[in-house]
Amino acid sequence: MSCASALSHARTSIVLGRRNTVHAHRRSSVVSRATTEKTSTPMKLAFLGCGIMGVPMAKNLIAAGHDVTVWNRTESATKPVVEAGATLAKTASEAARAADVVFVMVSTPEAALAVAHAAKEGLSSGKGYVDVSTVDAGTSRAIAEVVRSTGAEFLEAPVSGSKKPAEDGALIFLCAGDEGLYTRCTDPLDVMGKAHFFLGDVGQGAKMKLVVNMIMGSMMGAFAEGLTLADKSDLSQETLLQVISLGAIASPMFALKGPSMVAGNYPPAFPLKHQQKDMRLAIALADELAQDMPVAAAANELYKRARRDGCDDEDFSAVLKAVKK
């Protein structure tokens, strides 16, 4: 994919209420800079985690001219990144020692904390550690404590987006922690994403990501119910997709996922087990704040049912299977 026009940049500051100032940086194009130009300031980076998201993110960094060292618990998963030009490290600490800034993308809070401990020996003053995994605020604070105990800076930066945005460099990073590290990471964040926000202290980025994914999961649950109700009412699901696309509830997610859902195909861009994990964490956050979440709680039950039915590793749109039962 190429970009016909030059990329433009805008930086704004937004004050939310009286408590936090949020800095946002956006690119007008959703095409990754990694596919169009080399970075002007190559950095020594490590990337820990080579899954559905980590592989395209690391490859974009390499294509943009950054020096990337990669590690994954299962070494074979690093093959596409190594073939793209990354250096393979045998351990997480070895990768961290070779880099100025470490990026981490793993699937669960438990894995994220374990990787921080594994990388700890390779961290030191002057280095940065950026965890882009989706975790709860408490886990993020625990990771920050591990990282900062070495003298390194910490930034949580969970991403909004799935496999295709990761490939296109069109992710959205929700950052919090050490603002100096956030500023230092502007170029790699621009390579991997179309926007990034600084939200304040550690935990705020994690909370924002859970809110976003809770909304997304609830929307998908309602969408699955609508497709099922249309089908059982002898209405064309394809026509429903067209009607939705022309109205106020039109959504890129519905447009992207709808046709494959109608066809009964669920290739995993965002595995259902991870969506249910995020719903659970969002509901737990609401419990801490005594906030009612009846819609999200009901949607979560659908994802739990789909997991019991063996849909863990299918796309989260496979929640349709639970609705159709």
Side-chain angles (χ1 to χ4, degrees):
M1 183 180 296
S2 62
C3 181
S5 60
L7 300 171
S8 63
H9 298 264
R11 184 173 178 87
T12 61
S13 294
I14 309 166
V15 178
L16 296 185
R18 297 181 178 178
R19 289 181 296 176
N20 15 340
T21 299
V22 179
H23 302 291
H25 179 279
R26 302 185 187 87
R27 282 211 326 274
S28 60
S29 172
V30 297
V31 180
S32 171
R33 281 180 55 198
T35 64
T36 59
E37 60 183 65
K38 296 289 185 178
T39 177
S40 58
T41 54
M43 298 174 66
K44 294 178 67 176
L45 305 174
F47 206 101
L48 313 183
C50 294
I52 290 174
M53 299 290 288
V55 166
M57 293 169 72
K59 288 175 71 174
N60 277 347
L61 291 172
I62 294 165
H66 291 294
D67 180 359
V68 178
T69 299
V70 67
W71 173 85
N72 191 74
R73 184 176 58 181
T74 303
E75 186 175 306
S76 59
T78 66
K79 183 178 178 181
V81 187
V82 172
E83 289 178 344
T87 300
L88 176 64
K90 295 297 183 182
T91 65
S93 60
E94 179 185 322
R97 195 171 292 113
D100 296 322
V101 177
V102 179
F103 284 88
V104 181
M105 171 56 95
V106 292
S107 59
T108 67
E110 295 78 14
L113 186 55
V115 169
H117 282 290
K120 181 178 178 181
E121 290 186 6
L123 299 174
S124 59
S125 178
K127 292 181 180 286
Y129 190 95
V130 184
D131 197 321
V132 301
S133 314
T134 298
V135 303
D136 57 285
T139 298
S140 193
R141 294 188 192 101
I143 294 170
E145 185 175 348
V146 172
V147 171
R148 287 169 171 168
S149 71
T150 71
E153 291 184 305
F154 175 74
L155 191 72
E156 62 176 5
V159 299
S160 180
S162 57
K163 181 180 178 181
K164 186 62 165 61
E167 292 172 344
D168 292 345
L171 297 168
I172 301 167
F173 291 88
L174 307 171
C175 308
D178 292 317
E179 191 168 5
L181 178 57
Y182 171 71
T183 301
R184 245 168 87 192
C185 290
T186 293
D187 192 89
L189 291 177
D190 279 349
V191 166
M192 295 184 288
K194 64 180 180 181
H196 46 86
F197 297 81
F198 186 77
L199 302 171
D201 295 334
V202 172
Q204 295 301 97
K207 292 175 186 177
M208 181 69 84
K209 177 58 191 299
L210 293 180
V211 170
V212 169
N213 275 21
M214 177 272 294
I215 295 170
M216 179 175 73
S218 299
M219 287 174 61
M220 181 57 77
F223 186 49
E225 290 182 344
L227 286 170
T228 302
L229 182 59
D231 185 51
K232 291 189 174 181
S233 300
D234 295 324
L235 296 170
S236 164
Q237 292 176 314
E238 290 83 356
T239 301
L240 174 62
L241 295 181
Q242 293 178 29
V243 172
I244 288 174
S245 72
L246 296 172
I249 62 170
S251 161
M253 182 176 74
F254 296 161
L256 177 66
K257 303 290 186 182
S260 61
M261 292 170 72
V262 170
N265 298 322
Y266 309 98
F270 181 40
L272 186 140
K273 62 186 176 185
H274 298 330
Q275 176 64 72
Q276 195 275 315
K277 177 260 295 182
D278 292 350
M279 297 296 288
R280 171 175 56 81
L281 293 176
I283 291 169
L285 174 62
D287 285 347
E288 293 176 16
L289 301 172
Q291 171 65 49
D292 290 337
M293 301 270 281
V295 174
N300 186 45
E301 293 303 313
L302 292 175
Y303 289 102
K304 287 162 61 177
R305 187 185 309 163
R307 293 196 65 187
R308 289 195 299 271
D309 291 343
C311 299
D312 267 6
D313 295 318
E314 294 185 273
D315 190 73
F316 79 109
S317 56
V319 71
L320 177 63
K321 292 183 177 182
V323 175
K324 291 170 69 173
K325 290 192 69 175

